[in-house]
Amino acid sequence: MTHSNYFYALKLPKEAKDHLQEKMSELKDKMSFKKWVHPEDFHITLAFLGKIEEEKLENSIQKMRRISTEHPRFSLRLTEMGIFGPPSSPRILWAGIDHSKKLYSLQRDVYRACEESGFRLDKKPFKPHITTARRYTGENSFNAASLRLPGDYTFTADQFTLYKTNMGMSPSYETIEDFTFHTME
């Protein structure tokens, strides 16, 4: 039996996923990665929980229901492409967004609530991004100069989600519960 990982993430609206998928389709012909992320799996991770204990998870869910009512919907703008890992052979290709105080505030609240629920979380600084591909496999060194996200794209973030990872499936992430922000911006 495999153990699933759980995480809280900002859910992208369908239109944003479609837009990003269109841009990734253009890049697939130019870049060789082992795995391109399924568009349904596009998200911005807020807190990675890993394997969970039911009591801690239920406690965190109660806190997230409250947090979602304390945050308004907000706009985010896709602006760039980037990589994690060695410049010549990156592990991750990602789409980035403009800095957003509202996103950082949400992430801080979600992260804190998870810690208060007993989860031990990664201490790395929050670097909001949307993973689009994994493990570069090209014959030549990766060319970072080819990373352009043609045109800006703005979307409204209106919810975050508790996801469960289903290894070996596509899409890989299963929605456990959505948390919708209140409507005032």
Side-chain angles (χ1 to χ4, degrees):
M1 182 179 146
T2 60
H3 293 290
S4 296
N5 288 316
Y6 289 76
F7 61 96
Y8 287 103
L10 188 78
K11 184 176 246 181
L12 272 61
K14 181 183 181 331
E15 300 76 27
K17 290 177 182 180
D18 291 348
H19 174 79
L20 204 48
Q21 175 60 19
E22 183 181 313
K23 299 306 173 194
M24 293 311 102
S25 293
E26 295 169 14
L27 291 178
K28 280 182 187 179
D29 296 335
K30 302 172 191 156
M31 298 179 185
S32 185
F33 279 85
K34 183 172 184 175
K35 180 177 190 285
W36 289 87
V37 174
H38 190 287
E40 284 304 308
D41 287 341
F42 291 153
H43 68 275
I44 299 171
T45 301
L46 301 170
F48 181 78
L49 307 177
K51 292 162 185 48
I52 55 99
E53 297 170 33
E54 282 299 322
E55 188 176 310
K56 288 180 186 177
L57 186 64
E58 192 51 46
N59 189 308
S60 74
I61 288 171
Q62 295 303 322
K63 292 176 186 305
M64 297 310 154
R65 290 176 181 149
R66 178 184 47 78
I67 287 170
S68 69
T69 67
E70 296 170 351
H71 285 266
R73 294 185 305 184
F74 55 94
S75 293
L76 290 174
R77 190 165 62 102
L78 293 172
T79 57
E80 64 178 336
M81 297 296 300
I83 57 170
F84 292 139
S88 61
S89 182
R91 290 184 326 276
I92 302 285
L93 175 68
W94 51 262
I97 56 171
D98 263 355
H99 181 80
S100 165
K101 286 182 180 176
K102 291 178 182 177
L103 176 60
Y104 275 80
S105 173
L106 171 67
Q107 189 273 338
R108 187 177 53 249
D109 288 352
V110 168
Y111 189 96
R112 186 178 306 129
C114 289
E115 285 188 321
E116 289 170 359
S117 298
F119 289 102
R120 295 178 61 198
L121 305 178
D122 189 349
K123 299 293 185 197
K124 284 189 281 201
F126 181 50
K127 169 79 170 126
H129 66 279
I130 302 157
T131 299
T132 58
R134 291 187 167 84
R135 294 186 292 288
Y136 179 70
T137 58
E139 305 266 326
N140 303 316
S141 287
F142 183 78
N143 178 8
S146 62
L147 290 181
R148 281 191 304 283
L149 188 63
D152 287 344
Y153 182 81
T154 302
F155 63 93
T156 299
D158 58 4
Q159 64 183 333
F160 66 103
T161 300
L162 172 62
Y163 285 109
K164 173 184 169 186
T165 303
N166 293 308
M167 300 305 276
M169 294 178 67
S170 184
S172 301
Y173 305 134
E174 174 186 346
T175 297
I176 301 301
E177 185 165 341
D178 288 322
F179 306 91
T180 303
F181 302 129
H182 73 79
T183 53
M184 300 300 290
E185 182 148 1

